[in-house]
């Protein structure tokens, strides 16, 4: 007894009801059911019930719902109209219903709002009273995010910005696809032209993401404000990794040496060549909004490091022919061949200030910088670090010598480096020679639990679908977008830990 079998019996009835909604739906007398004195000719596609009312009642009913879609009965069928055409106006700077003594219209009385149900041309007046806030502030207080702070003529509702952000997290849809969908909600026939505010929407999405990131990092309550944000401070930290001053008990460092392994930090290094970026725009034309504040490293010092050590000699692999070690080609038309990252090897979280673009394969200069940056920007337990990397057997050779050549801000103590444990993820290990399969095996090392080191691969599987849109972005837009997705991934991991 499949549910469709019963549905087949009433299919004709359902079709008839759907066709009925194209007409007056039984409202045949033409009298407004609210005032009973005027002919009813208008209905709202957003309100429940589908009742048809007069113009005056329609405006009164939508005093607080000015972004609804309105239709007008022309005698034979319904036509699209708008609340602006009926005389509705939004008055900012005052409570709804209060008259402003000094209203002022935007230039040419032209204002567009992007909302969850479409792209709307509206009637709007700003307040110009002596104590009135700036125009962009009036919009924000109403719940609309302005496209610009100078004479704004476009805004997006906070609801639609949140809707896109969450939808992009779950479906990885692009802003273009989302905006095109919104444009079709108001009129899906393709006959009526819709105001193009796609570029303005891109700007608002990026700014909204940034504001939410710094807000959730507590920057709005810090005496230094947004400007005082430190590298990696806006990242969502893994709550299960050992972090002094956050989740370790008092006196943990003074305990017996034989039990210090329980405070081990497990790091996983990996590269992802799906997250490419084409040669679009430039750093000067499209910088990051908050460079280095979340998961990507700060671009300027990273670029300087890569420029200085880009020609650093890199020995050929003495193990299997690892493409990550031997590949030094750069693909034509790409500004970034992928990204390198340092993450949490046990809980699959992205670490703060530990991700950066790769320019020519998986070079040590890139991966060294990301690894050292990850250790310098977040607390960790001295001498208790396990590093998982699919080419650990090659990368850890001469690591200390390479570190000593880097900038002082990146260097680590020799004793500290010697205490690190380097291992190869379990799935990748069989591709190595026999010696490596013994020396770098998780299964043959104590105090690592059942860690498999493959956490980055699981993390990339959720992030990779967004590459179809980020590959065409400018450098700053791409980093800001990926930072937002990395943060969402960490947050989902956090609340699912239980």
């Amino acid at each position: 007894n499949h549910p469709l079998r019963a549905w087949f019996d009433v299919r004709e009835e359902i079709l008839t009801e759907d066709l009925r909604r194209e007409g007056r739906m039984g409202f045949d007398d033409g009298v407004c059911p609210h005032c009973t004195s005027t002919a009813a000719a208008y209905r709202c596609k957003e309100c429940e019930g589908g009742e048809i009312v007069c113009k005056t009642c329609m405006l009164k009913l939508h005093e607080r719902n000015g972004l609804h879609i309105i239709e007008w009965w022309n005698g034979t069928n319904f036509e699209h109209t708008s609340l602006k055409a009926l005389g509705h106006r939004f008055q900012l700077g005052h409570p709804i219903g209060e008259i402003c003594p000094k209203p002022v219209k935007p230039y040419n009385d032209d204002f567009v709002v992007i909302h969850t149900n479409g792209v709307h041309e509206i009637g709007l007046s700003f307040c110009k009273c002596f104590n009135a806030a700036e125009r962009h502030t009036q919009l924000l207080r109403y719940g609309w995010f302005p496209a610009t702070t100078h004479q704004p003529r476009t805004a997006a509702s906070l609801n639609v910005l949140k809707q896109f952000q969450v939808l992009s997290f779950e479906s990885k849809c692009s802003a273009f696809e989302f905006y095109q969908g919104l444009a079709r909600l108001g009129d899906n026939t393709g006959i009526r032209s819709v105001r193009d505010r796609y570029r303005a929407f891109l700007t608002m999405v990026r700014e909204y993401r940034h504001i939410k990131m710094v807000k959730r990092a507590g920057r709005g309550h810090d005496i230094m404000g947004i400007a005082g944000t430190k590298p990696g401070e806006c990242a969502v930290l893994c709550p299960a990794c050992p972090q002094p001053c956050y989740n370790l008990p008092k006196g943990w460092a003074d305990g017996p040496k034989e039990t210090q392994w329980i405070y081990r930090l497990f790091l996983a290094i990996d590269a992802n060549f799906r997250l490419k970026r084409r040669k679009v725009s430039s750093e000067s034309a499209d910088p990051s909004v908050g460079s280095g504040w979340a998961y990507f490293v700060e671009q300027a010092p990273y670029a300087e490091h890569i420029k200085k050590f880009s020609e650093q000699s890199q020995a050929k692999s003495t193990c299997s022919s690892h493409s990550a070690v031997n590949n030094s080609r750069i693909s034509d038309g790409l500004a970034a061949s992928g990204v390198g990252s340092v993450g949490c090897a046990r809980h699959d979280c992205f670490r703060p200030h530990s991700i950066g673009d790769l320019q020519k394969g998986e070079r040590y200069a890139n991966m060294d910088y990301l690894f050292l940056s990850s250790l310098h920007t977040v607390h960790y337990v001295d001498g208790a670090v396990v590093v998982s990397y699919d080419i650990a057997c090659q990368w850890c050779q001469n690591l200390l010598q390479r570190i000593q050549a880097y900038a002082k801000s990146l260097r680590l103590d020799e004793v500290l480096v010697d205490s690190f444990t380097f291992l190869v993820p379990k799935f990748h290990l069989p591709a190595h020679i026999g010696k490596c399969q013994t020396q770098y095996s998780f299964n043959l090392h104590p105090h690592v639990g059942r860690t498999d080191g493959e956490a980055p691969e699981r993390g990339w599987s959720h992030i990779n679908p967004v590459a179809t849109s980020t590959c065409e972005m400018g450098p700053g837009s791409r980093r800001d977008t990926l930072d937002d997705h990395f943060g969402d991934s960490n947050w989902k991991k956090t609340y699912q830990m239980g």
Side-chain angles (χ1 to χ4, degrees):
N1 294 324
H2 195 280
L4 280 177
R5 296 186 183 277
W7 181 81
F8 285 150
D9 297 336
V10 296
R11 182 168 49 179
E12 291 288 349
E13 179 185 346
I14 293 174
L15 174 59
T16 301
E17 289 300 317
D18 195 47
L19 289 171
R20 186 171 179 267
R21 295 189 65 82
E22 300 295 328
R24 294 183 65 93
M25 295 177 60
F27 295 93
D28 295 326
D29 55 10
V31 178
C32 177
H34 288 265
C35 63
T36 66
S37 61
T38 314
Y42 300 92
R43 75 175 181 185
C44 175
K45 295 181 68 175
E46 305 291 313
C47 294
E48 306 295 335
E51 64 179 4
I52 304 173
V53 299
C54 67
K55 175 181 176 180
T56 302
C57 290
M58 178 62 70
L59 289 174
K60 184 177 181 180
L61 290 170
H62 287 80
E63 191 174 31
R64 295 178 180 273
N65 297 293
L67 296 180
H68 281 192
I69 299 173
I70 308 301
E71 291 182 323
W72 166 66
W73 181 257
N74 63 10
T76 58
N77 61 275
F78 280 102
E79 291 182 8
H80 175 84
T81 186
S82 67
L83 285 168
K84 180 181 180 180
L86 299 185
H88 180 276
R89 295 198 72 81
F90 290 90
Q91 176 59 62
L92 303 187
H94 292 268
I96 294 176
E98 183 176 296
I99 298 176
C100 176
K102 293 184 177 180
V104 56
K105 298 179 181 179
Y107 177 76
N108 205 28
D109 196 16
D110 176 24
F111 203 92
V112 175
V113 174
I114 305 168
H115 189 45
T116 55
N117 61 349
V119 182
H120 304 268
E121 296 180 52
I122 66 168
L124 178 142
S125 296
F126 293 101
C127 172
K128 206 175 181 181
C129 298
F130 75 96
N131 60 344
E134 296 290 337
R135 293 189 177 187
H136 65 273
T137 304
Q138 293 183 39
L139 289 168
L140 287 169
R141 290 176 179 176
Y142 196 81
W144 293 345
F145 200 97
T148 177
T149 57
H150 178 68
Q151 300 295 327
R153 288 192 293 165
T154 304
S157 69
L158 295 179
N159 285 337
V160 77
L161 292 174
K162 181 178 181 179
Q163 185 182 68
F164 170 67
Q165 185 185 39
V166 174
L167 185 63
S168 68
F169 289 154
E170 294 299 324
S171 71
K172 303 301 186 286
C173 74
S174 68
F176 179 78
E177 294 164 337
F178 183 80
Y179 183 85
Q180 290 298 106
L182 288 178
R184 294 179 62 178
L185 284 177
D187 179 73
N188 198 28
T189 63
I191 299 173
R192 184 173 60 88
S193 62
V194 179
R195 301 290 292 276
D196 184 10
R197 290 294 187 270
Y198 170 62
R199 289 189 175 275
F201 182 68
L202 287 180
T203 300
M204 290 183 284
V205 164
R206 191 173 175 191
E207 293 171 348
Y208 174 83
R209 281 174 163 160
H210 179 74
I211 291 299
K212 288 299 180 182
M213 180 184 73
V214 294
K215 171 190 173 183
R216 290 163 182 163
R219 302 313 307 159
H221 299 287
D222 193 288
I223 191 172
M224 298 298 294
I226 293 179
T229 307
K230 299 176 182 177
E233 201 165 27
C234 291
V236 178
L237 298 180
C238 174
C241 282
Q243 296 172 32
C245 305
Y246 287 93
N247 60 3
L248 295 186
K250 292 182 179 180
W252 66 269
D254 302 324
K257 290 293 183 182
E258 59 270 17
T259 62
Q260 288 296 298
W261 60 269
I262 67 174
Y263 303 119
R264 269 184 158 184
L265 176 64
F266 288 77
L267 301 181
I269 304 175
D270 195 31
N272 184 342
F273 294 103
R274 295 287 185 90
L275 295 177
K276 298 177 173 65
R277 188 180 76 81
R278 301 186 186 278
K279 288 183 178 178
V280 180
S281 191
S282 64
E283 291 291 345
S284 58
D286 183 37
S288 296
V289 180
S291 183
W293 288 3
Y295 305 91
F296 270 89
V297 294
E298 191 174 355
Q299 184 59 24
Y302 179 56
E304 183 180 349
H305 171 86
I306 297 304
K307 181 179 180 181
K308 184 176 180 180
F309 296 97
S310 60
E311 303 303 325
Q312 182 186 61
S313 60
Q314 189 163 308
K316 294 292 183 180
S317 174
T318 58
C319 184
S320 301
S321 182
H322 299 302
S323 58
V325 178
N326 299 329
N327 182 18
S328 61
R329 296 184 298 106
I330 185 169
S331 302
D332 294 334
L334 293 179
S337 59
V339 300
S341 75
V342 181
C344 165
R346 287 182 62 84
H347 315 107
D348 191 16
C349 286
F350 295 96
R351 281 177 64 80
H353 211 252
S354 305
I355 299 175
D357 286 334
L358 302 177
Q359 298 77 32
K360 189 185 292 185
E362 200 169 336
R363 295 180 298 184
Y364 291 164
N366 294 77
M367 307 311 288
D368 289 351
Y369 187 98
L370 302 178
F371 173 68
L372 298 172
S373 175
S374 181
L375 291 176
H376 276 289
T377 53
V378 179
H379 293 295
Y380 65 96
V381 184
D382 293 348
V385 179
V386 177
V387 183
S388 173
Y389 193 10
D390 52 11
I391 56 170
C393 60
Q394 304 300 305
W395 175 74
C396 69
Q397 296 178 24
N398 304 315
L399 175 60
L400 185 59
Q401 289 86 334
R402 297 198 304 271
I403 291 177
Q404 298 308 319
Y406 296 152
K408 290 184 178 180
S409 59
L410 293 175
R411 294 177 191 173
L412 294 177
D413 184 81
E414 180 177 351
V415 177
L416 184 60
V417 176
D418 287 340
S419 69
F420 290 172
T421 301
F422 300 95
L423 301 174
V424 174
K426 291 182 179 180
F427 179 78
H428 289 77
L429 191 61
H432 290 246
I433 61 176
K435 180 182 178 181
C436 292
Q437 292 185 32
T438 301
Q439 185 176 350
Y440 297 95
S441 171
F442 271 97
N443 287 331
L444 301 179
H445 274 75
H447 304 147
V448 297
R450 299 304 299 164
T451 308
D452 62 9
E454 298 290 356
E457 306 299 339
R458 293 186 282 272
W460 293 136
S461 67
H462 301 294
I463 295 295
N464 282 341
V466 80
T468 55
S469 55
T470 57
C471 69
E472 300 289 348
M473 294 181 179
S477 300
R478 172 173 164 275
R479 287 193 294 268
D480 293 342
T481 300
L482 288 175
D483 267 345
D484 201 33
H485 282 267
F486 295 147
D488 177 67
S489 178
N490 277 14
W491 175 243
K492 289 176 68 175
K493 281 287 180 181
T494 298
Y495 70 69
Q496 289 172 358
M497 284 183 183

